[in-house]
Amino acid sequence: MTAQDAATDGVSLSLQGNVAKIVIDADGKHNAIHSTTWRALPGLVEAAERAPDVGVIIVRGARGNFGAGNDITELRGLVGNPAAAEAYAQSMADAMQAVEAASKPVVMAIEGLCYGASVALTLTGDLRIAADDATFAITPAKLGATYLQSDLHRLVAAIGAGQSRKMIYTGEPIGTEQALSIGLVDMLLPSGGFEQGLQELTDQLLRGSSFTLRQTKQMLRLVGQVRTPTETKESLAWFVRATQGPDFKEGLDAFLTKRRPRFR
């Protein structure tokens, strides 16, 4: 089957033997995620789950970048429109939850830029594999925005509260060695051998018992961590409040005009 097995603007699903590949593709925007992508992801994950031969789901970005976070130009449409902001937040939460809830192992294959909401997406996977020249940044503070409550839960579960604060408060990029040391990624591969290394890892997963992998995945959700919270009207309202505030408007304007934001 080809990459056109299922596709929508910004994301596609291909079923290739025992592997389902979900590819985020926003040409010219470093794979910034559009709302159409968030809305499509649950259906693509469901299709991969239904495919009887698929044992592993791989999520990645096209052309050497995992993703630059949410599409900033689209976020401008949330200013002055609380209903649209809430719907946008809900679509993100639903997409993240769908990936996290997949019964099959999900491998996040990370190259190049991985910023903002794209980092949050990687945290829904089971294994985060990064090329050794990838960079990571959590950037809401540069936009006057916020992560969702569920995003923060996954982040703290992965790297701890202290490192979460550092990444969010500063918004500064980190390299893969630091990302590995704090638990943001699980494995590094040389950029020149990324495809080969990813294939070898996938083959290793497929050689194991699919029952063991699925059952262990389910059990690990109950070991040593609280379940990821489901977003509520109240928690979504925190995201909405940010998008309607002056800092968000200033952050977007600064980003789009390539200047430093002047937050009051």
Side-chain angles (χ1 to χ4, degrees), residues 51-113:
D53 293 335
V54 167
V56 175
I57 301 170
I58 295 175
V59 180
R60 66 186 308 176
R63 292 179 300 281
N65 284 301
F66 187 86
N70 283 322
D71 187 334
I72 299 298
T73 56
E74 185 181 24
L75 293 182
R76 296 187 74 179
L78 307 183
V79 176
N81 192 338
E86 181 176 346
Y88 190 96
Q90 188 67 65
S91 67
M92 282 197 296
D94 291 345
M96 305 277 194
Q97 198 278 330
V99 178
E100 184 177 51
S103 66
K104 300 174 181 180
V106 177
V107 176
M108 295 289 173
I110 306 163
E111 300 173 274
L113 295 178

Side-chain angles (χ1 to χ4, degrees), residues 187-208:
M187 178 179 176
L188 301 186
L189 294 172
S191 57
F194 187 78
E195 297 302 328
Q196 179 181 346
L198 179 60
Q199 184 63 58
E200 291 173 354
L201 173 66
T202 303
D203 291 343
Q204 288 177 332
L205 297 179
L206 291 171
R207 284 195 293 268

Side-chain angles (χ1 to χ4, degrees), residues 42-191:
L44 298 184
V45 172
E46 182 182 357
E49 288 274 82
R50 288 198 310 265
D53 293 335
V54 167
V56 175
I57 301 170
I58 295 175
V59 180
R60 66 186 308 176
R63 292 179 300 281
N65 284 301
F66 187 86
N70 283 322
D71 187 334
I72 299 298
T73 56
E74 185 181 24
L75 293 182
R76 296 187 74 179
L78 307 183
V79 176
N81 192 338
E86 181 176 346
Y88 190 96
Q90 188 67 65
S91 67
M92 282 197 296
D94 291 345
M96 305 277 194
Q97 198 278 330
V99 178
E100 184 177 51
S103 66
K104 300 174 181 180
V106 177
V107 176
M108 295 289 173
I110 306 163
E111 300 173 274
L113 295 178
C114 185
Y115 281 18
S118 297
V119 176
L121 178 58
T122 69
L123 294 169
T124 65
D126 297 289
L127 292 171
R128 296 180 294 279
I129 313 304
D132 58 10
D133 58 355
T135 57
F136 301 81
I138 301 177
T139 52
K142 294 187 175 183
L143 293 173
T146 65
Y147 257 15
L148 297 174
Q149 181 185 32
S150 49
D151 297 339
L152 291 174
H153 174 94
R154 296 185 189 98
L155 181 65
V156 171
I159 69 175
Q163 292 295 337
S164 297
R165 292 188 187 98
K166 181 180 179 182
M167 288 198 71
I168 293 171
Y169 292 1
T170 67
E172 291 303 309
I174 65 172
T176 49
E177 291 290 346
Q178 186 175 352
L180 180 66
S181 71
I182 65 176
L184 191 61
V185 300
D186 304 306
M187 178 179 176
L188 301 186
L189 294 172
S191 57

